[in-house]
Amino acid sequence: MIGKVVGWLTDPAHWVGPDGIAAQTLLHLYYCVVAVGVAALLAVPLGVYIGHTGRGAVFVVGAGNAMRALPTLGLVTLLVLGLGLGEAPALAGLVVLAVPAILSGAYSGVRNAPPDAVDAARSMGMTSRQRLWQVELPTALPLVLGGIRSAMLQVVATAAVAAYVGLGGLGRILLDGLKISDYAQMASAAIAIAVLAVLLDLVLAAATRMLVPRGLVLAGRRGGKR
């Protein structure tokens, strides 16, 4: 079986053309980036607001748990029945999948800002908005980015459901292999999805290291040793 998988992956014919691995990987990546990007635009401001004001914390927990419990394939199918075939239903389902992790990361990051720093900012006469932008958001950045990173991994693994509604991506290669009982093709698609997930995680980890100030990293390590 391993030999067949290696043979399938190394066959140049499987990498070229609109149905090849290269093109389908780019399409898969497009779905993931768009879904996580839209989810971040929706969830980060909401999570920051709730974390800063303390209003709606119960909503974060309840909505997050409810959205995590939704079966993505069932949700996409329901959206297809309501909206018709196309990218919109699949992307909407992936957005719903990505929102809980990002929302929780943004909320937790702001809510758990160091109390000493917040109190010091308040003592200096900073307004609520100034404390948010100059103290809470900078210290929340690691958790916000961690939520986005977690959401991306979930979406990469689940974006194959887009193939069930007639779209492309690596899920299309997997489903085409399933139709003809080509287990080497199915395993190759699964491997490609796993490799894409690892590469994206490495990219986001590198971005986190660049964006998070070194002082926050060192402070977090010192705090963890206490």
Side-chain angles (χ1 to χ4, degrees):
M1 182 63 183
I2 296 178
K4 292 181 179 180
V5 172
V6 172
W8 199 96
L9 285 172
T10 55
D11 187 345
H14 295 149
W15 287 86
V16 297
D19 296 326
I21 297 176
Q24 296 298 340
T25 298
L26 290 176
L27 195 55
H28 198 101
L29 180 62
Y30 161 75
Y31 295 147
C32 295
V33 171
V34 170
V36 174
V38 172
L41 289 175
L42 297 173
V44 170
L46 180 60
V48 168
Y49 171 79
I50 295 174
H52 178 65
T53 63
R55 302 171 184 170
V58 176
F59 167 79
V60 172
V61 177
N65 291 336
M67 295 172 79
R68 286 189 179 97
L70 289 173
T72 305
L73 178 57
L75 178 62
V76 170
T77 302
L78 181 63
L79 291 172
V80 167
L81 294 176
L83 302 176
L85 292 174
E87 289 187 357
L91 289 175
L94 295 177
V95 168
V96 171
L97 174 69
V99 162
I102 300 176
L103 181 63
S104 297
Y107 164 77
S108 300
V110 173
R111 196 63 180 168
N112 294 319
D116 293 344
V118 176
D119 290 341
R122 187 180 290 110
S123 299
M124 293 172 60
M126 286 188 178
T127 65
S128 177
R129 180 173 297 181
Q130 288 174 329
R131 291 197 303 272
L132 173 64
W133 285 100
Q134 298 181 34
V135 179
E136 294 173 354
L137 276 179
T139 58
L141 191 56
L143 284 178
V144 173
L145 294 176
I148 293 175
R149 185 175 170 184
S150 176
M152 179 63 78
L153 290 178
Q154 295 177 44
V155 169
V156 170
T158 314
V161 301
Y164 282 97
V165 292
L167 299 184
L170 293 170
R172 171 53 51 196
I173 296 176
L174 192 152
L175 286 182
D176 289 345
L178 179 62
K179 290 178 182 177
I180 59 176
S181 299
D182 189 338
Y183 297 107
Q185 179 174 335
M186 295 168 60
S188 298
I191 290 172
I193 293 172
V195 170
L196 180 61
V198 171
L199 292 177
L200 281 174
D201 189 53
L202 292 175
V203 169
L204 291 175
T208 300
R209 285 195 296 270
M210 289 190 300
L211 293 174
V212 175
R214 182 172 176 78
L216 286 179
V217 177
L218 295 177
R221 290 175 179 174
R222 288 195 296 268
K225 293 178 181 180
R226 294 176 181 175

